Structure formats: C-alpha cells, structure tokens
Amino acid sequence: MNFPAELKYTKDHEWVLIDGDVAVVGISDFAQDALGDLVFVNLPEVGDEVNAGEAFGDVESVKAVSDINSPVSGTVCAVNEAAADSPESLNSDPYGTWLIKVENFTEADDLMDAEAYKAFCEAEA
Amino acid sequence: MSELKRTLLYQAHVDAGATMVDFGGWDMPVQYPTGIIAEHLFTRQYCSLFDVSHMGRLFVSGPQRLEFLQHVLTSDASALEVGKAQYSMIPAEDGSAVDDAYLYRIEEEKFMLVINAGNIDKDKAHLLPIAEGFDVKVEDMSGCTGSIAVQGPTSKAMLAGLEGGEAINGMKRNDILHFCLEGHEIMISRTGYTGEPLSFETFARNDDIVWLWNRLLELGAKPAGLGARDTLRMEASMPLYGHEMGVDAEGKLMPIFAVFLAKFAVSFNEAKGDFIGKAALAKQHEAFTKILEGDYSLIADLPRRIQPVALLDRGVLRGGMPVYKDGKQVGWVTSGTMIPYHVLEGEGADIKFTGETGKRAIGAAYMDSDIVAGDKIEIDVRGRKLAAMVTKTHLKNNKPPYAIPVICK
C-alpha cells in the first residue's frame, strides 16, 4: 500500500495535493483496493461548488456505488475526463489519476498527513 | 454473531488470497486478487472454477419420492430418466416461487434437489412438513459434500482429459454421470449458471472435491468468486432468487411466469397431475402464451415480466431503479451492473479473440408485460433519467465453444 508523503488525506480515503492556487483531488490506494474493480465514475462539472466533507461524485465498482467526498471547499476548475473514460486507471494508478481540481478553496480541518493516514488505514484494516 | 460456515475448499480460497464475505451464513470468496472483471473474462475465454459447495443439496428417496417431487415442484419429475437433470421451481399456492431449483435423478431410486444457499432453511421449513404426508426420505446433504462449477470453453477438454473422464465428451446438456477420475469418485453434470455453452458442475465428498479443485488449477483453470458468478449469470439473463424471483420492489410476490425460463420449468403434463400452485400457474401460463404472441387480453393475470435491458447512456444499472416508458413508470430494474466482454472477430468455428475488451451497463427489469424487445425506455439512475432499451438477450450461447455477447447500440 502506497502513501505518498506530499499528499494529505481524508478519513473517507480521498487524497488532495495542494498545488499553488489549485487543490487536486483523487481517491487513495487503500480506497481503490477496498472498492475493487472500478467500472464507472460520476464527476461534477467545471464551475460546480464542492463542500469539504460532502460528496461531489461517486465511483462504482461491479458490486456497489460509493460516494467520493471532497477534502476541500471551493469551485471545480477542471474535471479529469480520462478518469471518467477509463475508471480502471483509478485501480492501476490511484495517485496518478486525479478526479477534479478545485480553485478558491479552503481545506477541511481534519486532513491527515501521510504518516497519520497510514496509521488510520492500518487501524481500519 | 454466529460462526460462519466454511466449505471444504475454504483453505484453498484463503491460500489463493480471496476476499471472503458472509454469503447466506457461509464464509465465501467474492473475488480473488485478479478481480471480478478478469475472472469474468477468463471464464468466457478459458475455464473458471467456482466453489458452489454452499448451495443446498437435498437427497430425496423412498417409495413415494416421485409423488412427493411432483407435488412440491413445477416440473415433471417422472420425465427424468436416471442420469438426467431438469430446471424446476418450488411453487407456493399463489403461483409465486419459494425458490428455484435443479432436480437431478442421480440413481434409479434417488433424486438430488439443488437449492439456493440463502433459502436452505426456508425451503426445508416449506418442504419437510409436506414430506411427512408422503413415504419419502428428504436428507440435507449440503454440509457433507462439496461442489465445484467448472465453466468455460476449455472445461470439457480439461475434464475429459483426466484419466477416467472420456465419457465427458458424450455428455449433453442436463446429463449427470458418475465418474472415477484418477481414482476419485465424482458426479458430474453438464449444467451451469454462467451461460457458457460448455459448462459442468461436479459433486463429491471431502477429499475428492479438494483434489479436483487443485488438479484443475494445475491444468490451467483459475478460481472465480461470487462476484464473477453474479456478473456472468446477469450477462446470461439467468434469474437469481431475491432479484428475479420472490418479492418485487413494492414488496409484492412475483409470479413464476414473470421469469421466461418458467416456460421450461413448469409442466402441465397429464403424468404430473395436481401440484402446489397449479391453478394459479395455469392462469399465468395462459396469459404468458398470449403475451408472447402479442395478445394482451389476459395481461391482468401476468401484469409484469422480467426482460433483459441495456443502458444506452453512460451509467450503471442497479436493482431497484425505476423504469419509465413514455413518461409513465412501468417497473423496476431487478439486477444490473457494468459487465465486461471480449471483442471477438469472425463467426462460428472461426471466432477469434482480438485481445480487446469492452464493458456495458446491462441487466434485467421487471416491467409491464406489453413492453417488448426493441422498446426504448428510460431508467432513473440515481436521479437522472437515462436512455435504455429492452432486448431479447445479452448473450448468444447456442454454438459451442464460445458465448457471444450481443451488444445494444
């Protein structure tokens, strides 16, 4: 299981990369492993508002639908159509496959660093 | 929480790294590390092994075995010769299904009734009091035998290649034979729940079933879990109790003839005589026959039927989603998911796998009986009404060795 140090994580297993003025959001290695083969991704549109801790989209495995919650509040400024076209890339490369980029954002106050998130996953597993 | 039951193959699943889940009180593999999609695709191209030891297996014997089975099942058990099997339903008096079942005549004087794992207790509570009125012995053999489904294009050659397995080659659909394979006593039927033209189910005691599992893995078969079992049966439009039988989305019991396969599971032969639910089923059958001819005069006796549906817009179908036609709700999705398929080239014996795969959002829906294949419908996919269509089948499987996906565009 991989926990890149440059990312922050939520308790719902999303990651966020703060890249200057933009927050880049995806799901973690732990999340993709727990969900199994992903077959569909529902994403918001550019311009939509997202709220920290609330669902902005969902991913579907063969068996079930799971919400994806936002680690930040702000405005969606980009959506990864490639992830929507090939959801399996979330399984093969969860940290290389971002879902949305958010601008004018504020972070949730309970984000974890890689070390804390790793401990959190170990406790949950 | 009570302890989960384990099949004879439990350790084999754990050793293979399977994700185990509680399924009807059994600790069962839902998938192996390769994942559901890879397992589904492997089954359609090669051969997968499914541990189906959790299924209920009731052995029925005694002087009035036939009278009992004729009374509690919809099929004509008297038509079964030794070494043959038939699809059947356990009907309730109102013409709904207590369960669906496969009946095997394994010996001159012994039948095996295979029932759903999750329904074992319910079925026994239904059947055993009735059995008291007959001179019949009903034994639950579920726990002391194992069962492996061996499914896919290479299954036949693999089984027939085992020492003592030559007779596999002559087996037709629904045949069941006793084998001694490399010294192991195994019963094999040509049946299955994947839609594969070449598919077998095997039944054996303890050590023999574990031996068979490992031997077939050595020969190149791979294990597949309950997840792939579900996607394969959905692609083959095979019904699952609790989805296509039992209660509908409104909590009402669905009639047996809502399922197309009822056509083959219900018999009104003279030899069968009276049986539970016969009057209700006869009315459904009359409506069913007319509906298939496009005559809806008896639609009140069979208001809704299960038919295959395919989503045309992007999304995923799930059981319980409402279905609309011309703005009016006409039913619900009963089963659905995103299902992978092989992109094939050529036809018949010349079919080639291109190595490419696709995926499609398909399933089944319980809809007004005047809806027919080809009709455009809309399905409410979590708040969005998406375009879909009704289709005859998702899979063609009448030409071995390969099942061919039928794609709606």
Side-chain angles (χ1 to χ4, degrees):
Chain A
M1 197 83 32
N2 194 2
F3 302 91
E6 66 275 22
L7 306 179
K8 292 180 183 176
Y9 302 87
T10 69
K11 286 181 174 151
D12 308 309
H13 306 286
E14 293 86 12
W15 57 260
V16 57
L17 172 71
I18 309 300
D19 184 13
D21 296 342
V22 174
V24 185
V25 177
I27 64 167
S28 73
D29 198 9
F30 184 94
Q32 71 78 20
D33 186 62
L35 292 165
D37 287 337
L38 293 170
V39 292
F40 195 72
V41 185
N42 270 311
L43 294 176
E45 291 177 5
V46 170
D48 285 357
E49 297 293 321
V50 296
N51 293 312
E54 291 180 18
F56 67 82
D58 49 63
V59 288
E60 303 204 19
S61 69
V62 173
K63 296 305 287 179
V65 185
S66 306
D67 282 340
I68 324 168
N69 295 329
S70 183
V72 297
S73 297
T75 309
V76 176
C77 61
V79 172
N80 188 359
E81 295 294 339
D85 289 339
S86 53
E88 59 276 12
S89 60
L90 290 165
N91 289 116
S92 56
D93 186 13
Y95 298 113
T97 310
W98 58 277
L99 295 172
I100 56 168
K101 294 183 180 179
V102 183
E103 60 186 5
N104 301 322
F105 65 88
T106 51
E107 294 176 37
D109 45 22
D110 56 352
L111 296 180
M112 291 174 272
D113 64 16
E115 203 173 314
Y117 178 61
K118 189 178 176 200
F120 177 78
C121 289
E122 278 162 5
E124 197 160 281
Chain B
M1 201 180 86
S2 64
E3 193 89 333
L4 290 179
K5 287 176 278 188
R6 293 175 174 182
T7 74
L8 300 166
L9 295 162
Y10 171 81
Q11 198 55 46
H13 303 318
V14 172
D15 291 346
T19 306
M20 305 297 286
V21 296
D22 175 359
F23 185 83
W26 291 85
D27 204 359
M28 296 297 291
V30 66
Q31 64 172 64
Y32 298 84
T34 45
I36 294 171
I37 291 173
E39 291 165 26
H40 181 115
L41 291 169
F42 192 84
T43 312
R44 294 271 182 249
Q45 190 170 6
Y46 302 106
C47 174
S48 293
L49 307 182
F50 302 80
D51 180 6
V52 289
S53 306
H54 62 303
M55 301 281 293
R57 288 177 295 281
L58 303 179
F59 283 23
V60 180
S61 58
Q64 288 191 296
R65 58 191 178 275
L66 193 59
E67 289 86 343
F68 170 71
L69 290 169
Q70 295 288 48
H71 181 63
V72 298
L73 298 178
T74 56
S75 56
D76 181 4
S78 73
L80 265 193
E81 293 165 27
V82 178
K84 294 281 182 190
Q86 64 186 194
Y87 183 53
S88 193
M89 300 257 188
I90 304 174
E93 203 58 69
D94 64 1
S96 66
V98 176
D99 202 356
D100 66 340
Y102 233 91
L103 181 68
Y104 300 80
R105 190 163 177 199
I106 54 176
E107 292 170 21
E108 184 68 37
E109 299 185 349
K110 190 179 275 181
F111 290 86
M112 174 172 70
L113 188 66
V114 176
I115 54 180
N116 281 296
N119 285 344
I120 295 177
D121 292 342
K122 187 182 83 160
D123 291 355
K124 280 163 73 177
H126 171 79
L127 295 172
L128 296 183
I130 301 172
E132 282 175 20
F134 292 84
D135 189 359
V136 67
K137 193 162 116 190
V138 180
E139 296 165 277
D140 184 356
M141 299 293 279
S142 313
C144 54
T145 54
S147 184
I148 302 170
V150 185
Q151 310 272 302
T154 62
S155 60
K156 182 169 149 182
M158 208 177 275
L159 287 166
L162 296 170
E163 185 198 303
E166 296 79 14
I168 292 280
N169 285 318
M171 287 179 78
K172 296 190 180 65
R173 179 102 194 131
N174 284 335
D175 283 356
I176 181 163
L177 286 175
H178 293 267
F179 287 86
C180 183
L181 298 176
E182 301 184 0
H184 301 267
E185 297 292 329
I186 295 166
M187 243 185 339
I188 301 180
S189 64
R190 188 160 168 193
T191 50
Y193 194 46
T194 57
E196 279 301 310
L198 298 178
S199 56
F200 299 88
E201 288 171 309
T202 65
F203 307 87
R205 287 177 184 270
N206 311 342
D207 294 350
D208 293 326
I209 208 78
V210 177
W211 169 82
L212 183 66
W213 182 268
N214 290 323
R215 187 77 181 92
L216 294 175
L217 289 180
E218 264 174 37
L219 293 173
K222 286 190 180 174
L226 293 173
R229 183 168 158 83
D230 197 34
T231 57
L232 288 158
R233 73 94 194 162
M234 266 190 233
E235 192 179 30
S237 298
M238 292 174 133
L240 173 61
Y241 189 88
H243 292 258
E244 284 78 31
M245 282 163 279
V247 293
D248 68 13
E250 281 183 319
K252 291 186 201 152
L253 286 162
M254 290 184 272
I256 281 177
F257 272 94
V259 172
F260 183 78
L261 283 179
K263 184 178 167 174
F264 307 105
V266 183
S267 167
F268 300 103
N269 285 352
E270 207 175 312
K272 180 158 175 66
D274 198 17
F275 58 97
I276 294 172
K278 185 180 183 183
L281 286 165
K283 276 180 85 172
Q284 290 176 24
H285 179 250
E286 203 179 337
F288 175 84
T289 307
K290 283 199 185 314
I291 287 164
L292 291 188
E293 291 165 355
D295 173 351
Y296 303 113
S297 57
L298 297 178
I299 198 168
D301 292 326
L302 188 62
R304 288 188 160 128
R305 296 176 56 228
I306 312 272
Q307 296 189 72
V309 292
L311 195 59
L312 301 173
D313 286 337
R314 276 167 62 139
V316 183
L317 298 179
R318 304 283 179 189
M321 289 178 171
V323 178
Y324 298 84
K325 182 164 185 285
D326 305 324
K328 172 178 159 272
Q329 188 175 349
V330 292
W332 301 267
V333 173
T334 52
S335 291
T337 186
M338 191 71 90
I339 295 182
Y341 62 90
H342 291 284
V343 177
L344 303 172
E345 263 173 16
E347 279 193 29
D350 297 325
I351 282 183
K352 288 196 172 58
F353 286 75
T354 61
E356 281 178 48
T357 60
K359 56 186 198 282
R360 49 185 178 152
I362 57 172
Y366 183 50
M367 300 176 293
D368 291 357
S369 295
D370 57 357
I371 287 176
V372 298
D375 281 358
K376 291 280 159 61
I377 50 173
E378 285 188 315
I379 298 179
D380 184 337
V381 178
R382 289 177 297 122
R384 295 178 301 149
K385 277 192 187 167
L386 302 183
M389 70 178 284
V390 184
T391 177
K392 272 203 162 55
T393 182
H394 297 308
L395 200 67
K396 271 201 281 192
N397 54 9
N398 55 346
K399 287 181 189 158
Y402 299 116
I404 314 294
V406 179
I407 315 285
C408 288
K409 290 233 168 76

